[in-house]
Amino acid sequence: MALTLLLGALVGAVLGLTGAGGGILAVPALMASQGWSVPQAAPVALLAVAAGAAFGAWEGWRRGEVRYRAAALMALCGLPGSALGTRAAHLLPAAWLAASFALVLLIVAWRAWSGARDGQAERDGRGALCRVQPETGRLAWHPASIAALAGVGAFTGFLTGLLGVGGGFVIVPALRRLSDLGMHAIVATSLLVIALVGGGSALSAYWHGARPPALPTLAFAAAALAGMMAGRWLIRRLAQRQVSRGFAFVAAGVAVAMLCHAAG
């Protein structure tokens, strides 16, 4: 139980700091602390990550950082994708899922390290599909931007259902590339999408018969929520470059461990 609480707090803290990494660490954390497979750990991970992300999104909402229309569009497109991913997860062998998860983790680690090496400089937004209108402060909507955000939401939802991840590692880089939003707004918007899609996916898994043990589930979710609070407090006090590099090391180490587990 102590390990479950510690890992849950770590997952929540990373999610609060990056908006893009904690969710993908939740499944490996539960596999390590409870000895579960990916399909067993996924519903619990989604519930914990959704709870933590909901708090982070609310905190961002109070600061006026959440782009709720963009988040709602991505979530609406993500929920059907999540159902498809959940169905695929029940058809694939557990070892294949673990190996796929590890490969995704390696990609995320590489992107985090690359972003830290480049300084994660803010782009000027020229050529972005989703641009903020100076006169209103809102995103400008047109067919290309709607299609791009819908595609991001659908792909995020599929990975959420397939692997039990939050999907922030897809949403944050996508919004950085597609929009001229600041990093705090991107993280807050990502957290709202994670809360909506992750919560919906967890409810869907429960509806289809997933019944994880109550005590580990509640303990992990509570620890993740506490970690999220700490992460959102720290995000304005730590350099993003150090956070990204630290996460890259952790994600790479977890990925190697999961590949060894899958091979065994």
Side-chain angles (χ1 to χ4, degrees), residues 22-78:
I24 203 169
L25 296 177
V27 169
L30 287 166
M31 293 174 69
S33 62
Q34 301 296 322
W36 292 342
S37 65
V38 172
Q40 290 174 313
V44 179
L46 286 173
L47 180 63
V49 169
F55 173 82
W58 173 76
E59 192 264 350
W61 189 293
R62 287 194 308 144
R63 297 178 181 274
E65 296 169 345
V66 175
R67 301 293 171 160
Y68 61 90
R69 291 183 179 86
L73 173 61
M74 287 187 282
L76 285 174
C77 296

Side-chain angles (χ1 to χ4, degrees), residues 104-130:
V104 170
L105 258 178
L106 286 175
I107 294 171
V108 172
W110 175 78
R111 290 184 64 90
W113 181 266
S114 299
R117 182 188 60 201
D118 297 338
Q120 292 199 344
E122 294 289 343
R123 300 188 305 113
D124 59 12
R126 287 180 296 181
L129 285 175
C130 309

Side-chain angles (χ1 to χ4, degrees), residues 7-8 10-15 18 20-32 45 49 101 105 108 164-166 169 220 246-255 258:
L7 293 176
L10 174 63
V11 166
V14 174
L15 184 63
T18 66
I24 203 169
L25 296 177
V27 169
L30 287 166
M31 293 174 69
V49 169
F101 201 109
L105 258 178
V108 172
V165 300
F169 65 93
F220 191 81
F247 170 69
F249 275 118
V250 172
V254 172
M258 290 194 71

Side-chain angles (χ1 to χ4, degrees), residues 67 70 130-133 136-141 149 179-181:
R67 301 293 171 160
C130 309
R131 302 192 64 179
V132 176
Q133 303 175 85
T136 64
R138 296 180 177 179
L139 289 175
W141 292 93
L149 292 177
S179 75
D180 58 352
L181 294 172

